[in-house]
């Protein structure tokens, strides 16, 4: 089923009515981001358009719905948000656990992504249609990136690709937001320990949908290669070619590759930001390493693929949310006793986690919450966990709120944990290290955590047992539903279940 490249995926989307080619030329970054904001709100199509003054056309919102991300992974798109979420989450979770299905990339010697090669003084990032997307952004941002690095210690190519934002400083310099806890940050730390001053980096833009999806996936270990995983998801190896100026393998059918050296010396860090981030706030400026571009290679007539963050349904979250939760799901299945399901609602941007358990033992709601919030990397973001029983639909915020409101005694069922070091983009955190003494970059912030045990209480917990929830008599109810139209009520269909 694998799509060979972005172009093949775009034709498929167009056939299915999921891509619109605009005949209107767009004029500015703000116009583009306003349009994308509204498309995120309406869960609209991918858009292909041209921008006044630029040769390279742009495609955005390619990954803007979970249905399109299902298609990208070769899965049948489903009706509802929940079904699409579960289809993607389960496929990724299963494959993360089964390395026997992963496929090593094949290495080719000529590749479409190198049809045009620009090096040295000819390099000019401003030729790409990259803009300041939001009024307070610190500069133009490349957003939908696949940033490739290799582990400096393991022999051979043990590569990583991650999606990290890139601000353009000048025609051949950018920043890269390579946080210490991400795999690129681990590569930086290991390279420094070896005495290296720079590391080779390649940024692939405009790739087959599986690769973008894999760049946002958290793997089991930083030594796992996303391209092998991508081969497994595609059912065919990813074709890769050696970079022109860096010793890295890059995806052969990408539209554009930016190659260069990341300066990892702390004293050369440079301020970048602010940036309109996925959690719906502007992120403050950060000290980050500088990336010196040595080459831009691209296909003939390349397409620039991009995305905008910020909106609750932003394209980045639609890519990241189900695949990042696949990793957490695998972990929670093994650690939380009585685990049934979990969801970190995208509109809460992953800072809230709901865990559903089958509670057998007294006190086990709290135990499950503590286990969930301590699963490390995956939940470095989570500020609070709500634990509920199996009768609560965790995808329905109002049902979860009902459980919190009626099963939680604030004096007994809330556990507050002191501030711990968390991912720097935590809007509720404070005391951010503006220059971390170890990395020299803006790294951790500090935030407390909370567990809310909203499970039904039982007598053996020395509590008044939660009473029996009200539902109609089952047999009578089923008969009523069966006769619904006979009552003359055909017009009143069941509310559509979107979330
Ligand atoms: C559009 C988009 C932009 C992102 N930008 C960043 C970023 O700038 N820095 C970062 O640490 N993570 C960012 N992420 C999240 C990472 O891509 C994600 O955590 C991924 O698992 C990192 O890969 P790694 O585990 O190989 O480091 C972004 C995600 C998306 C979808
Ligand atoms: Mn990784």
């Amino acid at each position: 089923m694998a799509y060979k490249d972005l172009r093949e995926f775009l034709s498929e989307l167009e056939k299915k009515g999921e891509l619109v080619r605009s005949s209107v030329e767009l004029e500015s970054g703000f116009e583009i981001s306003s349009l994308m904001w509204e498309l995120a709100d309406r869960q609209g199509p991918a858009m292909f358009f041209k921008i006044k003054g630029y040769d390279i056309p742009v495609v955005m919102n390619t990954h803007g719905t979970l249905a399109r991300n299902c298609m990208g992974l070769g899965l049948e798109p489903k009706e509802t948000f929940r079904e699409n979420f579960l289809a993607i989450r389960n496929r990724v979770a299963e494959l993360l656990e089964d390395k026997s299905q992963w496929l090593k990339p094949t290495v080719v010697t000529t590749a479409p992504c190198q049809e045009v090669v620009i090096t040295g003084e000819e390099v000019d990032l401003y030729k790409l249609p990259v803009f300041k997307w939001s009024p307070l952004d610190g500069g133009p941002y490349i957003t939908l990136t696949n940033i490739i690095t290799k582990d400096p210690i393991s022999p051979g190519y043990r590569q990583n690709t991650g999606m990290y934002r890139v601000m353009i400083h000048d025609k051949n310099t950018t920043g890269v937001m390579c946080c210490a806890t991400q795999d690129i940050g681990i590569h930086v730390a290991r390279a420094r320990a070896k005495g290296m001053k720079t590391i080779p980096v390649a940024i692939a833009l405009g790739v087959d949908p599986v690769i973008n999806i894999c760049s946002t996936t958290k793997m089991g270990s930083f030594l796992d290669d996303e391209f092998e995983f991508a081969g497994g998801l595609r059912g065919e190896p990813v074709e890769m070619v050696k970079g022109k100026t860096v010793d890295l393998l890059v995806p052969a059918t990408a539209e554009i590759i930016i190659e260069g050296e990341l300066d990892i010396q702390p004293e050369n860090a440079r301020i970048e930001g602010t940036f309109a981030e996925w959690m719906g706030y502007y992120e403050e400026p950060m000290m980050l390493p500088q990336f010196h571009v040595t080459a831009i290679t691209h296909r003939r007539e390349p397409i620039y693929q991009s995305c905008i963050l910020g909106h609750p349904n932003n394209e980045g979250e639609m890519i990241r949310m189900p695949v990042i939760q696949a990793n957490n799901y695998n972990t929670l299945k093994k650690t939380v006793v009585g685990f049934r399901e979990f969801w970190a609602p995208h509109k809460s941007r992953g800072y809230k986690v709901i865990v559903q358990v089958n509670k057998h033992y007294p006190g086990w709601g709290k135990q499950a919450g503590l286990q969930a919030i301590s699963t490390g990397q995956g939940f470095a973001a989570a500020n609070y966990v709500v634990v509920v029983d199996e009768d609560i639909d965790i995808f329905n915020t109002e049902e979860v709120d009902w459980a919190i409101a009626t099963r939680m005694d604030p004096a007994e069922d809330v556990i507050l944990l002191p501030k711990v070091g968390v991912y720097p983009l935590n809007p509720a955190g404070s005391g951010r290290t503006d220059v971390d003494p170890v990395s020299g970059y803006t790294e951790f912030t500090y935030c407390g955590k909370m567990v809310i045990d909203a499970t039904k209480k039982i007598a053996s917990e020395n509590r008044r047992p939660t009473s029996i929830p009200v539902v109609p008599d089952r047999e009578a109810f089923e008969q009523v539903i069966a006769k619904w139209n006979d009552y003359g009520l055909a017009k009143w269909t069941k509310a559509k279940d979107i979330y």
Side-chain angles (χ1 to χ4, degrees):
M1 77 97 268
Y3 295 104
K4 191 168 82 235
D5 53 17
L6 172 65
R7 293 168 191 214
E8 224 176 70
F9 185 48
L10 296 183
S11 337
E12 180 67 14
L13 291 180
E14 195 162 20
K15 259 191 248 155
K16 296 256 160 69
E18 289 281 337
L19 177 134
V20 168
R21 283 179 198 271
S22 171
S23 52
V24 177
E25 276 199 350
L26 277 75
E27 297 197 23
S28 73
F30 293 172
E31 183 185 4
I32 296 167
S33 61
S34 302
L35 184 61
M36 290 308 131
W37 180 274
E38 200 50 30
L39 283 180
D41 211 66
R42 300 180 194 202
Q43 290 282 278
M47 276 203 77
F48 190 95
F49 52 87
K50 293 208 67 171
I51 301 168
K52 211 165 258 177
Y54 288 83
D55 295 332
I56 303 177
V58 175
V59 68
M60 281 195 176
N61 211 28
T62 329
H63 293 274
T65 65
L66 293 187
R68 285 201 287 284
N69 288 325
C70 269
M71 291 171 66
L73 289 170
L75 304 168
E76 197 55 44
K78 310 280 189 318
E79 178 81 1
T80 65
F81 187 91
R82 170 196 319 226
E83 290 171 310
N84 285 319
F85 168 79
L86 289 173
I88 300 170
R89 199 275 315 266
N90 291 344
R91 170 75 180 125
V92 172
E94 178 212 312
L95 201 71
L96 280 172
E97 300 259 273
D98 182 8
K99 286 196 181 178
S100 71
Q101 291 187 50
W102 298 16
L103 298 170
K104 277 200 186 337
T106 46
V107 180
V108 297
T109 48
T110 51
C113 71
Q114 295 176 339
E115 281 165 355
V116 179
V117 177
I118 302 159
T119 56
E121 273 312 296
E122 299 301 306
V123 166
D124 185 359
L125 292 167
Y126 293 117
K127 293 222 167 101
L128 301 175
V130 185
F131 299 91
K132 208 168 121 157
W133 306 113
S134 298
L136 302 183
D137 283 354
Y141 267 95
I142 306 176
T143 50
L144 203 60
T145 62
N146 298 273
I147 302 201
I148 301 162
T149 51
K150 67 179 171 188
D151 181 51
I153 294 177
S154 316
Y157 288 95
R158 212 180 252 280
Q159 296 202 153
N160 187 74
T161 175
M163 196 169 283
Y164 319 110
R165 71 182 205 220
V166 168
M167 190 183 97
I168 298 181
H169 287 305
D170 59 47
K171 78 190 215 6
N172 55 8
T173 318
T174 79
V176 176
M177 210 288 246
C178 51
C179 185
T181 54
Q182 302 288 37
D183 290 347
I184 190 173
I186 297 170
H187 286 178
V188 167
R190 281 160 71 92
R192 277 194 189 150
K194 267 185 85 175
M196 293 164 72
K197 294 193 161 79
T198 63
I199 58 167
V201 170
I203 306 177
L205 306 172
V207 288
D208 100 58
V210 170
I211 295 176
N212 279 333
I213 289 169
C214 286
S215 285
T216 72
T217 310
K218 264 283 154 230
M219 309 291 280
S221 147
F222 76 95
L223 292 174
D224 288 340
D225 185 328
E226 279 90 354
F227 289 110
E228 290 181 22
F229 181 64
L233 280 174
R234 300 171 81 247
E236 259 177 50
V238 178
E239 281 193 354
M240 301 191 77
V241 67
K242 206 158 160 184
K244 289 287 179 190
T245 60
V246 290
D247 185 18
L248 292 169
L249 294 177
V250 300
T253 63
E255 294 293 325
I256 300 168
I257 306 282
I258 305 173
E259 302 178 358
E261 294 291 325
L262 187 71
D263 184 334
I264 59 173
Q265 300 170 92
E267 62 273 23
N268 292 338
R270 179 165 169 186
I271 201 106
E272 71 85 76
T274 25
F275 179 58
E277 270 289 1
W278 99 93
M279 61 284 185
Y281 297 99
Y282 281 101
E283 180 55 37
E284 297 161 48
M286 290 180 150
M287 287 297 278
L288 291 173
Q290 295 189 65
F291 176 55
H292 300 288
V293 179
T294 50
I296 297 179
T297 75
H298 61 79
R299 295 174 75 138
R300 254 174 255 117
E301 301 189 7
I303 300 168
Y304 183 74
Q305 186 181 26
S306 179
C307 76
I308 303 292
L309 307 175
H311 188 280
N313 295 333
N314 74 76
E315 183 174 358
E317 276 306 279
M318 291 301 146
I319 310 174
R320 187 181 81 110
M321 190 257 293
V323 297
I324 211 127
Q325 294 193 31
N327 183 298
N328 303 149
Y329 176 74
N330 284 341
T331 309
L332 294 183
K333 260 194 323 199
K334 289 173 207 144
T335 52
V336 174
V337 176
F339 177 78
R340 286 295 178 270
E341 190 46 278
F342 104 99
W343 193 43
H346 65 291
K347 291 190 178 176
S348 303
R349 314 304 209 277
Y351 292 105
K352 159 184 167 185
V353 170
I354 302 153
V355 176
Q356 185 188 55
V357 293
N358 176 358
K359 177 170 145 184
H360 276 308
Y361 309 108
W364 215 264
K366 294 177 183 64
Q367 182 69 18
L370 287 171
Q371 284 168 327
I373 205 139
S374 328
T375 53
Q377 178 63 281
F379 284 151
N383 288 341
Y384 74 104
V385 171
V386 182
V387 185
V388 297
D389 302 291
E390 278 182 281
D391 66 327
I392 299 297
D393 176 0
I394 62 170
F395 296 99
N396 182 328
T397 304
E398 289 174 1
E399 275 194 34
V400 173
D401 281 348
W402 177 65
I404 296 173
T406 61
R407 299 178 187 182
M408 185 264 308
D409 172 352
E412 301 249 9
D413 298 325
V414 177
I415 305 169
L416 291 176
L417 301 176
K419 281 176 180 286
V420 296
V422 295
Y423 187 67
L425 268 57
N426 189 325
S430 48
R432 193 171 80 163
T433 47
D434 277 330
V435 179
D436 180 75
V438 180
S439 66
Y441 309 141
T442 305
E443 294 287 2
F444 297 92
T445 188
Y446 308 92
C447 195
K449 291 187 185 281
M450 175 170 70
V451 172
I452 296 177
D453 173 11
T455 56
K456 286 189 239 170
K457 298 306 168 312
I458 51 184
S460 54
E461 292 173 318
N462 298 325
R463 300 282 290 274
R464 184 163 73 98
T466 306
S467 192
I468 300 163
V470 179
V471 282
D473 176 76
R474 184 165 176 177
E475 201 184 328
F477 185 75
E478 280 167 3
Q479 282 169 12
V480 164
I481 295 299
K483 287 199 292 188
W484 191 256
N485 295 354
D486 306 341
Y487 297 125
L489 295 171
K491 204 171 114 191
W492 284 270
T493 51
K494 225 172 165 43
K496 199 173 164 204
D497 178 18
I498 298 174
Y499 291 99

